Amino acid sequence: MPHLLQLDSSISGAGSKSRQLTAAFADAWRARGPEHTVTHRDLTADPLPHLLDNELHWPPHLRAPGATPPADVEAVQAAVIAELLSADVLLVGAPLYNYSLPSTLKVWVDHVHVPGVTTPFDGSAQPLAGRPAVVVSTAGATYDVGSPTADWDHGVPVLDIVLGTAFGMPVTVVKATRTLAARLEGMAPERTRADEEFEAARARLAELGATLG
């Protein structure tokens, strides 16, 4: 059965723009029939522990001699990796916080980016190669091409490297910026553009949810 892994990392609750957009994809996915299943991991409600042992960045056969990472933390990491490997499509809600990934999403990346397991090392395969990944990127400010802040987004590039280059997944990025326009008086001129971007993103994600996988 086609299976979706949906990750949400926004701390904004029901008002979160990224959560509204990932829901548009997930709703369209479920509407295709009961065989289209979803695992939803809320990285804010149920945050993963930080990896506090460097050897957890490696699989057992590549660890330093005598390495003994905590068994409970290793078990959590194994479960998170298995959850990812069981997905036919990955959906990532990635709001831009301080020009980068939310810390909870970065911890997830640290758990799943393991040489020789999810990314090639010494000739090993890419088990996720060819599986679609959709990154929903929301940002409060503006990062338009050609603007002074065009290269200040350090969230999407990280996910493109990890999911796309390291894991071999075709990555589709859907963006909605200016999400603070409704709140900040200084961004009032951007409100129409913000609404247009959000609705275009929602329509695109509903389309992808109805067709990917």
Side-chain angles (χ1 to χ4, degrees):
M1 295 196 301
H3 188 65
L4 171 69
L5 174 58
Q6 175 187 354
L7 303 178
D8 279 307
S9 58
S10 170
I11 60 174
S12 299
S16 163
K17 297 294 186 181
S18 68
R19 287 177 183 270
Q20 293 172 44
L21 292 175
T22 56
F25 183 106
D27 289 347
W29 175 270
R30 290 189 184 93
R32 295 163 71 174
E35 71 281 1
H36 280 71
T37 57
V38 179
T39 292
H40 182 208
R41 178 174 285 275
D42 190 327
L43 295 167
T44 297
D46 188 19
L48 294 167
H50 284 273
L51 294 183
L52 300 180
D53 189 316
N54 180 62
E55 295 304 324
L56 288 170
H57 288 292
W58 300 94
H61 69 285
L62 293 176
R63 291 175 188 163
T68 55
D72 56 340
V73 179
E74 187 173 23
V76 170
Q77 181 183 35
V80 172
I81 291 173
E83 184 177 78
L84 173 60
L85 293 176
S86 72
D88 299 292
V89 177
L90 173 65
L91 173 66
V92 183
L96 194 68
Y97 288 172
N98 295 313
Y99 315 110
S100 188
L101 299 178
S103 60
T104 52
L105 182 54
K106 176 58 168 63
V107 170
W108 180 85
V109 170
D110 290 343
H111 275 70
V112 300
H113 186 273
V114 181
V117 177
T118 53
T119 184
F121 189 88
D122 286 347
S124 61
Q126 284 178 306
L128 292 161
R131 303 188 202 182
V134 177
V135 173
V136 177
S137 170
T138 56
T142 61
Y143 302 90
D144 297 339
V145 175
S147 73
T149 56
D151 61 351
W152 287 20
D153 179 346
H154 300 287
V156 169
V158 170
L159 293 174
D160 194 42
I161 291 169
V162 173
L163 303 179
T165 304
F167 293 175
M169 306 178 81
V171 178
T172 300
V173 178
V174 180
K175 291 188 176 185
T177 64
R178 300 164 167 81
T179 61
L180 289 175
R183 178 172 180 172
L184 301 180
E185 192 59 36
M187 292 187 68
E190 301 289 344
R191 289 172 184 170
T192 297
R193 173 79 179 275
D195 291 342
E196 291 172 348
E197 280 194 16
F198 181 79
E199 290 306 323
R202 180 151 53 188
R204 175 61 173 149
L205 287 160
E207 175 191 11
L208 290 169
T211 56
L212 277 183

